[in-house]
Amino acid sequence: MKPNLTAPEQRATPVPATPPTRINWIDATKGLTIMMVVTMHIALGTQTMMGGPDMWLVDFTNFVRPFRVPLFFIIAGLFAAKALQVEWRKFFDSKILHFAYFYFLWASLQLGIKLALPGEGNHALSLSDFWLLPFEPFATLWFIYALALFFLMARLTRALHPAFMLAFALLLYAADVHTGWTAIDEFSGRFIFFLTGLHASRFILDFAQWTNRHKTAALSITVLGLLAVFVLQNNVVLEPRIDQLCAAFYGAAAVIAFMAAFSTATIMRPFTYVGERSLSVYLAFFLPGALLRIGLAKTGWLDDGDIIAAIAIAGGVIVPLIGAWVLSKTPLAFLFTRPEMFRLGAKKVDHTPSHKQPAPQTA
């Protein structure tokens, strides 16, 4: 009898079935969250630049603040389970090196642009920003820095019971950590949402399917969820930190219900399109967004902050999409696509001269 040569990984606990390559409502939700991030940075930057006028885009930004980032990390955690089961080399390449590549590349670009345009934008620049890049996320790029940390922590603790990890993350959230270090503070305040997506993924996906079949109920959940966010923002119901957590989950549930029910509608296609390419928008929106809002304000053609911000937001979303597409076939493709040389699975090119005749080509 032949010995069993099955690899240990193949005898391990089966990995959950692979989900479809793309799920429409998830892409649409990712698109919405990225657009809300773009809106926040550009609207607040425009308001500051123009001396603090009242702006409805800033009011919108403040309203979605409790659930914008939590929703982003909940969605990120939905299909993390499979990634946590692969062997270490593949995991490190896809979830650590992948984010690290884009983080250091675009942080360097942003720092360079800040040096070229001193005094512009929402973030001041100091020499410490350069050598602190591995430890202190720069500007808008803290999102992908945090994602790498979340995946790494989830991988290192995957043997622990989910209830223990959720309790640990909940305690971190309740502690309301403010050390002044972005990596520590954001990890403490956001890890609970990534773990929620990871460990409640089956419930969330079932909830999305149910709302897709019951659109009237989905719309009611959306309205009630957003109303609850408004109430919790403007009143102390239990305790401020608990209210914030409830607002995060109510808002996330409201958006998921709406997107799951209506993401296939024609009017929702832009959100889905952006969600499929969300990384490109997230990495590059700062440049066209800043140039447009600064340029429009300085020309004096417009004096309405909302109009200036709206144009800059549109540019901040559209220009990166066009740029990524245009650059995809050029030497600058590395800006949006990680080259093989920066992948652990990169194939080494054999430059040894071959003495064999090439095999004949077939039609």
Side-chain angles (χ1 to χ4, degrees), residues 237-280:
V237 178
L238 297 172
E239 189 275 332
R241 197 62 177 162
I242 298 175
D243 290 347
Q244 292 167 16
L245 186 65
C246 291
F249 284 124
Y250 283 139
V255 174
I256 290 172
F258 185 85
M259 288 300 185
F262 303 105
S263 63
T264 56
T266 302
I267 196 172
M268 303 297 289
R269 288 179 183 173
F271 295 98
T272 304
Y273 186 87
V274 172
E276 291 172 352
R277 300 157 182 82
S278 57
L279 182 61
S280 298

Side-chain angles (χ1 to χ4, degrees), residues 225-246:
L226 295 180
L227 180 61
V229 171
F230 178 81
V231 171
L232 290 166
Q233 276 185 308
N234 294 278
N235 301 275
V236 176
V237 178
L238 297 172
E239 189 275 332
R241 197 62 177 162
I242 298 175
D243 290 347
Q244 292 167 16
L245 186 65
C246 291

